[in-house]
Amino acid sequence: AEAKPWRREVAAGAVGAWTLANTVAVAVGLWHWSSLGHFGKFALTYPIGNAAYWIFGLAFLALDSARPSWSQLLKCQPEKYATEDVLAKVSMSIVLNQALTQALCFCVISPLGVARLRFEGDVGAWDVVRDFLAFAVITEVVFYYSHRLMHAKQLYGKIHKRHHEITAPFGICAVYFHPLEQVTSVLQAALPALLCASHVVLLQAWIVMATFNIILHHSGYDLLSFDRVPPFESMTVQHDYHHKAFDRCFGVIGILDWLHGTDTGLADFAAAAAARRCSSSKPLE
């Protein structure tokens, strides 16, 4: 059934207010960074992630709304866009999850974050390269197996199915999760830095980069080589195929899908998407 117009307006207002509140919190926190204690610096990770999520997500939503003709050349599933009702439903769910479930998670893990992370000293180029490489490997392993576990019969119907209501992904559906899956998402985001005892600034930079990537991978736009690690397919194409096929492409980069043989059919899907891009020249009405 079609949602009532006021529900769409409430969702839009909630997203706007939530984005503004988190952006202001980030600005104030960065302005007073030198006077913040360890807890304050770690806690700032929470609004940083939320602000990044909606700023990046709304940018892709603007692209979906404008629908310039050239964007069709990048679409994995051309001419498939979320309706206003779906956008309202997904947006409200995410705002509530971020405001409640995610906030609770940060409160619970904050003692561990303060104990494990570094808060003093400078961050050098080697620190960034070493830690980000480690973060990428840890994320690939943890995400692949936890994601595949979510597709087990006992968990899929009760938890992960909500995320798979969306078969043609769009940016802001990236964390459209059941609350329990939201918990695992927060833990997966923080785990690499906690394991590596990294500087808090590297955790926050990783959160921003990972947030952009997860939105890009759900955006439905294949930015060609931008998010591709050769010889694997674009990570956006991989995840778009996952939403279409459900039981394929559980990872991020594609390494473990290749090793476990869970990328069956991806090459054909990617080839079909590439063929559509080459032949698509008609702009949307």
Side-chain angles (χ1 to χ4, degrees):
E2 184 178 352
K4 295 180 180 179
W6 67 265
R7 291 181 179 174
R8 296 195 288 267
E9 294 171 2
V10 168
V15 168
W18 183 242
T19 303
L20 178 61
N22 280 279
T23 303
V24 169
V26 172
V28 172
L30 293 177
W31 182 263
H32 295 284
W33 179 264
S34 60
S35 62
L36 293 177
H38 292 180
F39 174 80
K41 289 178 178 178
F42 176 75
L44 191 60
T45 308
Y46 171 67
I48 285 176
N50 291 334
Y53 186 86
W54 288 105
I55 290 171
F56 295 143
L58 291 173
F60 276 105
L61 182 59
L63 180 60
D64 285 346
S65 299
R67 303 184 190 181
S69 58
W70 58 262
S71 69
Q72 286 299 291
L73 301 177
L74 303 176
K75 281 286 285 183
C76 297
Q77 300 185 57
E79 301 186 21
K80 289 190 176 181
Y81 295 92
T83 65
E84 291 184 356
D85 290 341
V86 169
L87 287 171
K89 175 184 175 182
V90 168
S91 298
M92 281 303 301
S93 175
I94 293 173
V95 168
L96 289 173
N97 250 342
Q98 289 177 338
L100 301 175
T101 309
Q102 190 169 314
L104 180 60
C105 287
F106 264 89
C107 291
V108 171
I109 68 172
S110 60
L112 181 60
V114 171
R116 285 290 299 167
L117 297 176
R118 292 190 295 112
F119 295 88
E120 310 300 336
D122 297 327
V123 176
W126 170 242
D127 296 317
V128 176
V129 173
R130 179 198 61 210
D131 285 16
F132 274 25
L133 284 174
F135 293 176
V137 172
I138 294 169
T139 298
E140 176 73 8
V141 173
V142 173
F143 183 77
Y144 178 88
Y145 292 109
S146 63
H147 188 191
R148 194 166 180 180
L149 180 63
M150 282 292 178
H151 279 260
K153 185 177 180 180
Q154 298 84 347
L155 296 176
Y156 181 81
K158 296 179 179 178
I159 299 175
H160 194 52
K161 187 176 181 179
R162 177 183 295 189
H163 186 64
H164 275 279
E165 290 175 11
I166 312 299
T167 57
F170 51 94
I172 62 171
C173 80
V175 295
Y176 177 49
F177 292 148
H178 184 283
L180 290 178
E181 190 167 5
Q182 183 74 26
V183 172
T184 67
S185 176
V186 172
L187 296 178
Q188 287 170 11
L191 184 62
L194 295 176
L195 288 177
C196 296
S198 301
H199 197 286
V200 66
V201 169
L202 292 182
L203 167 63
Q204 292 163 347
W206 176 258
I207 291 292
V208 172
M209 187 174 73
T211 297
F212 174 77
N213 284 336
I214 191 175
I215 290 174
L216 172 61
H217 300 163
H218 285 82
S219 70
Y221 294 99
D222 178 17
L223 300 186
L224 306 178
S225 60
F226 181 80
D227 70 337
R228 179 174 181 262
V229 177
F232 305 103
E233 293 289 348
S234 153
M235 288 176 258
T236 300
V237 170
Q238 289 184 54
H239 203 71
D240 206 87
Y241 178 59
H242 172 73
H243 274 260
K244 184 178 178 66
F246 292 99
D247 60 349
R248 297 288 185 272
C249 293
F250 299 101
V252 180
I253 298 172
I255 299 172
L256 290 176
D257 284 299
W258 172 69
L259 287 174
H260 289 288
T262 49
D263 58 355
T264 306
L266 173 62
D268 292 338
F269 179 80
R276 286 194 300 269
R277 285 197 297 270
C278 291
S279 61
S280 177
S281 59
K282 182 180 177 181
L284 290 175
E285 297 294 337

